[in-house]
Amino acid sequence: NLGTQVGANQVRNITIAAWKPAQGLLTLSADKQVDAVIEAILSADVSAETRQAMTSIASPTRSFQHIGDLVAMAIGSSDFQRR
């Protein structure tokens, strides 16, 4: 799906490292990273299920991979689809 492709840097000319908020997110704790991605992509309007799924992502925190996984989850969520 699109979220997975964006999060994995598989969409031409779109990379997580180039996403303006990504640099600042690298220094945050895992919970704060989740909050920041939710704010940036979903305007803080997220279901408890989506937040729980995002907090359970197992990739190494403070990495572009983790940020990409969070972005993929946010874009792939039903919360994003409702927009």
Side-chain angles (χ1 to χ4, degrees), residues 1-7 14 19 37-51 54 70-83:
N1 78 27
L2 178 62
T4 302
Q5 291 175 328
V6 169
I14 298 176
W19 183 45
V37 170
I38 288 171
E39 177 66 35
I41 295 177
L42 301 171
S43 301
D45 182 23
V46 67
S47 66
E49 293 82 12
T50 298
R51 180 178 293 279
M54 291 176 76
L70 292 173
V71 167
M73 181 74 67
I75 293 173
S77 73
S78 59
D79 300 299
F80 184 82
Q81 302 303 317
R82 281 185 282 147
R83 297 183 166 275

Side-chain angles (χ1 to χ4, degrees), residues 18-76:
W19 183 45
K20 193 171 185 173
Q23 292 295 327
L25 296 179
L26 291 175
T27 63
L28 301 177
S29 68
D31 288 340
K32 296 291 183 185
Q33 287 177 337
V34 169
D35 292 340
V37 170
I38 288 171
E39 177 66 35
I41 295 177
L42 301 171
S43 301
D45 182 23
V46 67
S47 66
E49 293 82 12
T50 298
R51 180 178 293 279
Q52 177 60 38
M54 291 176 76
T55 59
S56 68
I57 291 174
S59 57
T61 59
R62 298 186 176 154
S63 69
F64 285 121
Q65 177 188 350
H66 188 69
I67 303 301
D69 290 345
L70 292 173
V71 167
M73 181 74 67
I75 293 173

